[in-house]
Amino acid sequence: MARPRAGSNPPGPGVARVYSTDLTGAPSTGMGGVDDPTSQVEGSVDLVQRGDDEPWPDANGFDDEPDRPWDGSGVALATNAWPELERLIGPGGALESTLDGYERRSGQELMMRSVAGVLERGGTLVIEAGTGIGKSLGYLVPAALSGRRVVVSTGTRTLQDQLWTRQVPFIRDELGLAIEATVLKGRTNYLCLLLLEAAKDVPELTLDQHRELGRVRTWAETTSTGDRAELVDLAEDASIWRAVAADAEQCLGRSCPHFSDCFLMAARRRAEAADLVIVNHHLFFADLGLKDAAKFSLLPDADAVVFDEAHHLENVAAHAFGRSVSDARMRRLAGDAKRAFRKADRPVGRLDAQLAELDRDRERLFSHLQAMAPRARLVPSRLGVQFREAWYKVDNTLIGLALLVGGEAGTDEPLRRLAGRVDELRSDLFGLISPETPHDDPEVRWVERGPRATFVRSAPIAVGGRLREALFPRFRTAVFTSATLATGGGFAHVRERLGLPEDTQALTLPSPFDYASQALLYTAGDLPEPRHPAYARASVERIQALVELTRGRALVLFTSRERMLEAHAALAPRWAFPTLVQGQGAKEALLDRFRATPGAVLFATATFWEGVDIVGDALSLVIIDKLPFAPPGDALIDARVGQLAATGRNAFMEYQVPSAILALKQGVGRLIRHRGDRGIIAILDSRLDSARYGRVFLESLPPARRSARFEDIATWWAALEEHPEASPAAPDPAA
């Protein structure tokens, strides 16, 4: 059997040979794409073992020993050193005997063996695991068997909680795997005992906040973790939590009188003792930057890291590697200074005067920034004289504050740290506003206005170089997985954006679901293009027709909040279906209402494009209003496009289209979550049929049957309603 070209450097004696898979474009033969049966490998396959005296593939990439086994995907699998894995997943194994009605999934087994292989030998592995593969167990089981410490990083809190509350107990208690696991969250998820002690003396607290503080105090007497998630009766946006949770600036570390009882440090000690540490991407990359800059890390050293929901990584890493200053940060500094002076019994007269001056200077500076909001690119060389004068004034006031605090500090550690915070704030402002700031990597700066604060931020335009320096040298093994990583049949986009090593292995595992019989993809080719003035009205009419066809049971996804609200306002009065709209409650509460309400319709955007799992008859229709290209005016996206265009590359096809494909695949993936699910995926963007790039989108979607005619959709749905147990005949695209 012919095998793909081998990597350039043969391994040492007795080391498993790694066959490279092409990440630069379309998959090479046997890559395991949607139509490639080699991605569904039954049974156990061992990787070839070679010694120094054994022949290596010739210059053409093939050798003359066709009898040596190969897994068919181009990815190295685990060797016979993993008999426990085979006993677990093989016929009559623990998985089969533990789960009623268990069906072996060849894709999941191949993923387990592939992850086991890269954990064994080291290296980088990318896996796109389609919906239904069971990717969580696909990496958790080999991690538990590896005997190594593994960090698992998730993109959402929902997945982090699912791994901790469902998957880890299953592999430990049901499968009987001995594993010590823990969850580690960001600092502000944990109660700070020092701030809790000080909160009673904060004069600014309202009566409602005092009541909230009472609930926190009662809980603090019994909690063993200090994890804010335990406070179920405290609103998610309760302002009191910000007064009792310390960020990195406020934390005193070993100088804190509560250090020995600190909930955060206790969580870190649990992580140090654990084999498996579950975090989220924001904490992981914030910690990566912290270790790089300060040689300190909340995360313990580990052999391997697994990134689930890895399609989020570029943006999370970019923000973690950047800077951020807000008016809220400056106000928080002022409040902490007052409390620190009172606690240290220092005179506050001069401090009050200095802080009053800082308050005036801050308002002046941020009034200029707010005029650029809600989200505008900041180009320091183009800032006017008045803006620069406002910044100079803030800088001089901060110098005075640092001198005052430093002069009063003496041996008082909180005051000494406070002086350091003032210096760091000055440094961040200089890095964000000064046109003379030197940068090794090109970066973009912008102003962003949120509900509680105005920010000026920066981020590297490309993070690949930073990851090559900070991530890959730290971990012997790195695994990147998601249901959406490949675009246009390959991994070139994710490889470039994340700076993956040249010898990265890649694997595509198609969903085991039968999309050809379970779903019909409707591309509304007769609608005007989204930029046409008639599109808004025409798309609303088509949404109504589709929802009436399925009698509700619909999730309608939009690319902008404004369009969502317009469509909801137009359609909700027209029909009798129970209609929900994002913003009426927390995400999970809204989804629970949707599941429990027969015939409901949910209008949503943003976070509802992913992480939504609605199984069964509650959802039969997913409507997507248009292709999810990033909106114009996003400073970071515009900078990435500009950087590619400046080098003569086609930024639209090389960045904007692949990014939109990944987002579209997430939205499309909301419909089929189980083998019994049936329904319609409707994309109301005629560019799928009319634009040249539409073909690239369609080729990246699951292999559902497709029609551009509403009549076909209605016929298919009627047949499905009449015989739900059967698969309706496919529409004739030539009709």
PDB file of all heavy atoms in Angstrom, residues 143-166:
ATOM      1  N   ALA A 143      -5.826  11.118  27.573  1.00  0.00           N
ATOM      2  CA  ALA A 143      -5.145  11.950  28.566  1.00  0.00           C
ATOM      3  C   ALA A 143      -5.106  11.242  29.915  1.00  0.00           C
ATOM      4  O   ALA A 143      -4.076  11.242  30.606  1.00  0.00           O
ATOM      5  CB  ALA A 143      -5.844  13.303  28.690  1.00  0.00           C
ATOM      6  N   ALA A 144      -6.222  10.615  30.291  1.00  0.00           N
ATOM      7  CA  ALA A 144      -6.274   9.916  31.572  1.00  0.00           C
ATOM      8  C   ALA A 144      -5.347   8.709  31.599  1.00  0.00           C
ATOM      9  O   ALA A 144      -4.818   8.346  32.655  1.00  0.00           O
ATOM     10  CB  ALA A 144      -7.713   9.473  31.863  1.00  0.00           C
ATOM     11  N   LEU A 145      -5.125   8.092  30.440  1.00  0.00           N
ATOM     12  CA  LEU A 145      -4.274   6.908  30.371  1.00  0.00           C
ATOM     13  C   LEU A 145      -2.798   7.227  30.164  1.00  0.00           C
ATOM     14  O   LEU A 145      -1.951   6.338  30.271  1.00  0.00           O
ATOM     15  CB  LEU A 145      -4.737   5.997  29.221  1.00  0.00           C
ATOM     16  CG  LEU A 145      -6.090   5.309  29.395  1.00  0.00           C
ATOM     17  CD1 LEU A 145      -6.508   4.642  28.089  1.00  0.00           C
ATOM     18  CD2 LEU A 145      -6.030   4.286  30.518  1.00  0.00           C
ATOM     19  N   SER A 146      -2.493   8.475  29.863  1.00  0.00           N
ATOM     20  CA  SER A 146      -1.133   8.811  29.417  1.00  0.00           C
ATOM     21  C   SER A 146      -0.100   8.816  30.528  1.00  0.00           C
ATOM     22  O   SER A 146       1.103   8.691  30.263  1.00  0.00           O
ATOM     23  CB  SER A 146      -1.140  10.190  28.746  1.00  0.00           C
ATOM     24  OG  SER A 146      -1.387  11.221  29.702  1.00  0.00           O
ATOM     25  N   GLY A 147      -0.538   9.011  31.769  1.00  0.00           N
ATOM     26  CA  GLY A 147       0.418   9.140  32.860  1.00  0.00           C
ATOM     27  C   GLY A 147       1.122  10.483  32.872  1.00  0.00           C
ATOM     28  O   GLY A 147       2.110  10.676  33.599  1.00  0.00           O
ATOM     29  N   ARG A 148       0.626  11.427  32.084  1.00  0.00           N
ATOM     30  CA  ARG A 148       1.229  12.756  32.006  1.00  0.00           C
ATOM     31  C   ARG A 148       0.238  13.794  32.516  1.00  0.00           C
ATOM     32  O   ARG A 148      -0.973  13.559  32.535  1.00  0.00           O
ATOM     33  CB  ARG A 148       1.615  13.091  30.552  1.00  0.00           C
ATOM     34  CG  ARG A 148       2.536  12.064  29.909  1.00  0.00           C
ATOM     35  CD  ARG A 148       2.842  12.434  28.455  1.00  0.00           C
ATOM     36  NE  ARG A 148       3.612  11.402  27.788  1.00  0.00           N
ATOM     37  CZ  ARG A 148       4.933  11.287  27.865  1.00  0.00           C
ATOM     38  NH1 ARG A 148       5.624  12.151  28.580  1.00  0.00           N
ATOM     39  NH2 ARG A 148       5.557  10.314  27.221  1.00  0.00           N
ATOM     40  N   ARG A 149       0.766  14.960  32.914  1.00  0.00           N
ATOM     41  CA  ARG A 149      -0.134  16.052  33.276  1.00  0.00           C
ATOM     42  C   ARG A 149      -0.577  16.747  31.995  1.00  0.00           C
ATOM     43  O   ARG A 149       0.238  17.158  31.172  1.00  0.00           O
ATOM     44  CB  ARG A 149       0.529  17.055  34.207  1.00  0.00           C
ATOM     45  CG  ARG A 149      -0.404  18.247  34.523  1.00  0.00           C
ATOM     46  CD  ARG A 149       0.253  19.234  35.461  1.00  0.00           C
ATOM     47  NE  ARG A 149       0.340  18.689  36.804  1.00  0.00           N
ATOM     48  CZ  ARG A 149       1.298  19.013  37.669  1.00  0.00           C
ATOM     49  NH1 ARG A 149       2.265  19.840  37.302  1.00  0.00           N
ATOM     50  NH2 ARG A 149       1.314  18.485  38.871  1.00  0.00           N
ATOM     51  N   VAL A 150      -1.893  16.895  31.857  1.00  0.00           N
ATOM     52  CA  VAL A 150      -2.478  17.492  30.662  1.00  0.00           C
ATOM     53  C   VAL A 150      -3.370  18.655  31.075  1.00  0.00           C
ATOM     54  O   VAL A 150      -4.196  18.522  31.986  1.00  0.00           O
ATOM     55  CB  VAL A 150      -3.300  16.452  29.868  1.00  0.00           C
ATOM     56  CG1 VAL A 150      -3.923  17.099  28.631  1.00  0.00           C
ATOM     57  CG2 VAL A 150      -2.421  15.263  29.467  1.00  0.00           C
ATOM     58  N   VAL A 151      -3.199  19.790  30.417  1.00  0.00           N
ATOM     59  CA  VAL A 151      -4.088  20.934  30.585  1.00  0.00           C
ATOM     60  C   VAL A 151      -5.092  20.911  29.445  1.00  0.00           C
ATOM     61  O   VAL A 151      -4.717  20.794  28.274  1.00  0.00           O
ATOM     62  CB  VAL A 151      -3.305  22.258  30.566  1.00  0.00           C
ATOM     63  CG1 VAL A 151      -4.264  23.453  30.554  1.00  0.00           C
ATOM     64  CG2 VAL A 151      -2.375  22.352  31.767  1.00  0.00           C
ATOM     65  N   VAL A 152      -6.379  20.988  29.783  1.00  0.00           N
ATOM     66  CA  VAL A 152      -7.438  21.084  28.777  1.00  0.00           C
ATOM     67  C   VAL A 152      -8.018  22.486  28.854  1.00  0.00           C
ATOM     68  O   VAL A 152      -8.474  22.923  29.913  1.00  0.00           O
ATOM     69  CB  VAL A 152      -8.538  20.035  29.007  1.00  0.00           C
ATOM     70  CG1 VAL A 152      -9.703  20.271  28.046  1.00  0.00           C
ATOM     71  CG2 VAL A 152      -7.982  18.629  28.819  1.00  0.00           C
ATOM     72  N   SER A 153      -7.997  23.185  27.718  1.00  0.00           N
ATOM     73  CA  SER A 153      -8.488  24.564  27.668  1.00  0.00           C
ATOM     74  C   SER A 153      -9.709  24.626  26.764  1.00  0.00           C
ATOM     75  O   SER A 153      -9.686  24.138  25.633  1.00  0.00           O
ATOM     76  CB  SER A 153      -7.390  25.496  27.142  1.00  0.00           C
ATOM     77  OG  SER A 153      -7.841  26.836  27.085  1.00  0.00           O
ATOM     78  N   THR A 154     -10.793  25.233  27.256  1.00  0.00           N
ATOM     79  CA  THR A 154     -12.042  25.321  26.500  1.00  0.00           C
ATOM     80  C   THR A 154     -12.333  26.773  26.131  1.00  0.00           C
ATOM     81  O   THR A 154     -11.865  27.704  26.787  1.00  0.00           O
ATOM     82  CB  THR A 154     -13.226  24.772  27.305  1.00  0.00           C
ATOM     83  OG1 THR A 154     -13.527  25.687  28.383  1.00  0.00           O
ATOM     84  CG2 THR A 154     -12.910  23.403  27.885  1.00  0.00           C
ATOM     85  N   GLY A 155     -13.163  26.936  25.089  1.00  0.00           N
ATOM     86  CA  GLY A 155     -13.510  28.281  24.652  1.00  0.00           C
ATOM     87  C   GLY A 155     -14.668  28.887  25.411  1.00  0.00           C
ATOM     88  O   GLY A 155     -14.824  30.096  25.438  1.00  0.00           O
ATOM     89  N   THR A 156     -15.510  28.061  26.020  1.00  0.00           N
ATOM     90  CA  THR A 156     -16.700  28.553  26.700  1.00  0.00           C
ATOM     91  C   THR A 156     -16.819  27.956  28.091  1.00  0.00           C
ATOM     92  O   THR A 156     -16.335  26.853  28.354  1.00  0.00           O
ATOM     93  CB  THR A 156     -17.975  28.201  25.914  1.00  0.00           C
ATOM     94  OG1 THR A 156     -18.079  26.774  25.811  1.00  0.00           O
ATOM     95  CG2 THR A 156     -17.944  28.802  24.518  1.00  0.00           C
ATOM     96  N   ARG A 157     -17.480  28.675  28.962  1.00  0.00           N
ATOM     97  CA  ARG A 157     -17.733  28.181  30.312  1.00  0.00           C
ATOM     98  C   ARG A 157     -18.659  26.974  30.282  1.00  0.00           C
ATOM     99  O   ARG A 157     -18.547  26.066  31.111  1.00  0.00           O
ATOM    100  CB  ARG A 157     -18.337  29.291  31.167  1.00  0.00           C
ATOM    101  CG  ARG A 157     -18.482  28.921  32.632  1.00  0.00           C
ATOM    102  CD  ARG A 157     -18.914  30.099  33.463  1.00  0.00           C
ATOM    103  NE  ARG A 157     -20.227  30.569  33.081  1.00  0.00           N
ATOM    104  CZ  ARG A 157     -20.804  31.649  33.583  1.00  0.00           C
ATOM    105  NH1 ARG A 157     -20.149  32.386  34.453  1.00  0.00           N
ATOM    106  NH2 ARG A 157     -22.014  32.022  33.202  1.00  0.00           N
ATOM    107  N   THR A 158     -19.576  26.940  29.288  1.00  0.00           N
ATOM    108  CA  THR A 158     -20.501  25.812  29.169  1.00  0.00           C
ATOM    109  C   THR A 158     -19.745  24.509  28.998  1.00  0.00           C
ATOM    110  O   THR A 158     -20.026  23.506  29.675  1.00  0.00           O
ATOM    111  CB  THR A 158     -21.454  26.024  27.983  1.00  0.00           C
ATOM    112  OG1 THR A 158     -22.203  27.225  28.198  1.00  0.00           O
ATOM    113  CG2 THR A 158     -22.414  24.855  27.829  1.00  0.00           C
ATOM    114  N   LEU A 159     -18.772  24.487  28.086  1.00  0.00           N
ATOM    115  CA  LEU A 159     -18.000  23.267  27.874  1.00  0.00           C
ATOM    116  C   LEU A 159     -17.120  22.957  29.078  1.00  0.00           C
ATOM    117  O   LEU A 159     -16.968  21.789  29.465  1.00  0.00           O
ATOM    118  CB  LEU A 159     -17.143  23.386  26.616  1.00  0.00           C
ATOM    119  CG  LEU A 159     -16.269  22.167  26.293  1.00  0.00           C
ATOM    120  CD1 LEU A 159     -17.104  20.904  26.187  1.00  0.00           C
ATOM    121  CD2 LEU A 159     -15.468  22.393  25.016  1.00  0.00           C
ATOM    122  N   GLN A 160     -16.541  23.979  29.685  1.00  0.00           N
ATOM    123  CA  GLN A 160     -15.712  23.757  30.870  1.00  0.00           C
ATOM    124  C   GLN A 160     -16.528  23.077  31.967  1.00  0.00           C
ATOM    125  O   GLN A 160     -16.083  22.089  32.578  1.00  0.00           O
ATOM    126  CB  GLN A 160     -15.153  25.088  31.368  1.00  0.00           C
ATOM    127  CG  GLN A 160     -14.150  24.950  32.502  1.00  0.00           C
ATOM    128  CD  GLN A 160     -13.616  26.305  32.966  1.00  0.00           C
ATOM    129  OE1 GLN A 160     -14.272  27.321  32.830  1.00  0.00           O
ATOM    130  NE2 GLN A 160     -12.418  26.308  33.514  1.00  0.00           N
ATOM    131  N   ASP A 161     -17.741  23.569  32.200  1.00  0.00           N
ATOM    132  CA  ASP A 161     -18.608  22.968  33.220  1.00  0.00           C
ATOM    133  C   ASP A 161     -19.031  21.550  32.824  1.00  0.00           C
ATOM    134  O   ASP A 161     -19.126  20.657  33.673  1.00  0.00           O
ATOM    135  CB  ASP A 161     -19.850  23.839  33.434  1.00  0.00           C
ATOM    136  CG  ASP A 161     -19.521  25.172  34.101  1.00  0.00           C
ATOM    137  OD1 ASP A 161     -18.430  25.276  34.703  1.00  0.00           O
ATOM    138  OD2 ASP A 161     -20.341  26.109  34.004  1.00  0.00           O
ATOM    139  N   GLN A 162     -19.288  21.339  31.534  1.00  0.00           N
ATOM    140  CA  GLN A 162     -19.687  20.003  31.076  1.00  0.00           C
ATOM    141  C   GLN A 162     -18.571  18.992  31.297  1.00  0.00           C
ATOM    142  O   GLN A 162     -18.817  17.877  31.758  1.00  0.00           O
ATOM    143  CB  GLN A 162     -20.051  20.063  29.595  1.00  0.00           C
ATOM    144  CG  GLN A 162     -20.381  18.704  28.996  1.00  0.00           C
ATOM    145  CD  GLN A 162     -20.613  18.785  27.500  1.00  0.00           C
ATOM    146  OE1 GLN A 162     -21.266  19.695  27.013  1.00  0.00           O
ATOM    147  NE2 GLN A 162     -20.061  17.837  26.764  1.00  0.00           N
ATOM    148  N   LEU A 163     -17.339  19.370  30.974  1.00  0.00           N
ATOM    149  CA  LEU A 163     -16.219  18.456  31.192  1.00  0.00           C
ATOM    150  C   LEU A 163     -16.082  18.100  32.669  1.00  0.00           C
ATOM    151  O   LEU A 163     -15.853  16.946  33.028  1.00  0.00           O
ATOM    152  CB  LEU A 163     -14.916  19.089  30.688  1.00  0.00           C
ATOM    153  CG  LEU A 163     -14.788  19.331  29.181  1.00  0.00           C
ATOM    154  CD1 LEU A 163     -13.427  19.954  28.874  1.00  0.00           C
ATOM    155  CD2 LEU A 163     -14.968  18.058  28.393  1.00  0.00           C
ATOM    156  N   TRP A 164     -16.230  19.102  33.527  1.00  0.00           N
ATOM    157  CA  TRP A 164     -15.993  18.905  34.954  1.00  0.00           C
ATOM    158  C   TRP A 164     -17.133  18.146  35.623  1.00  0.00           C
ATOM    159  O   TRP A 164     -16.899  17.279  36.469  1.00  0.00           O
ATOM    160  CB  TRP A 164     -15.776  20.253  35.634  1.00  0.00           C
ATOM    161  CG  TRP A 164     -15.602  20.186  37.116  1.00  0.00           C
ATOM    162  CD1 TRP A 164     -16.371  20.766  38.074  1.00  0.00           C
ATOM    163  CD2 TRP A 164     -14.572  19.484  37.828  1.00  0.00           C
ATOM    164  NE1 TRP A 164     -15.901  20.480  39.327  1.00  0.00           N
ATOM    165  CE2 TRP A 164     -14.786  19.693  39.208  1.00  0.00           C
ATOM    166  CE3 TRP A 164     -13.492  18.708  37.432  1.00  0.00           C
ATOM    167  CZ2 TRP A 164     -13.966  19.150  40.193  1.00  0.00           C
ATOM    168  CZ3 TRP A 164     -12.672  18.154  38.410  1.00  0.00           C
ATOM    169  CH2 TRP A 164     -12.909  18.380  39.766  1.00  0.00           C
ATOM    170  N   THR A 165     -18.371  18.445  35.249  1.00  0.00           N
ATOM    171  CA  THR A 165     -19.509  17.853  35.965  1.00  0.00           C
ATOM    172  C   THR A 165     -20.009  16.557  35.343  1.00  0.00           C
ATOM    173  O   THR A 165     -20.677  15.769  36.021  1.00  0.00           O
ATOM    174  CB  THR A 165     -20.684  18.849  36.024  1.00  0.00           C
ATOM    175  OG1 THR A 165     -21.097  19.170  34.679  1.00  0.00           O
ATOM    176  CG2 THR A 165     -20.275  20.126  36.744  1.00  0.00           C
ATOM    177  N   ARG A 166     -19.694  16.310  34.060  1.00  0.00           N
ATOM    178  CA  ARG A 166     -20.220  15.112  33.395  1.00  0.00           C
ATOM    179  C   ARG A 166     -19.127  14.170  32.891  1.00  0.00           C
ATOM    180  O   ARG A 166     -19.136  12.977  33.206  1.00  0.00           O
ATOM    181  CB  ARG A 166     -21.124  15.523  32.233  1.00  0.00           C
ATOM    182  CG  ARG A 166     -22.414  16.211  32.674  1.00  0.00           C
ATOM    183  CD  ARG A 166     -23.154  16.815  31.496  1.00  0.00           C
ATOM    184  NE  ARG A 166     -23.372  15.852  30.420  1.00  0.00           N
ATOM    185  CZ  ARG A 166     -23.838  16.183  29.218  1.00  0.00           C
ATOM    186  NH1 ARG A 166     -24.138  17.447  28.959  1.00  0.00           N
ATOM    187  NH2 ARG A 166     -24.014  15.259  28.292  1.00  0.00           N
TER     188      ARG A 166
END
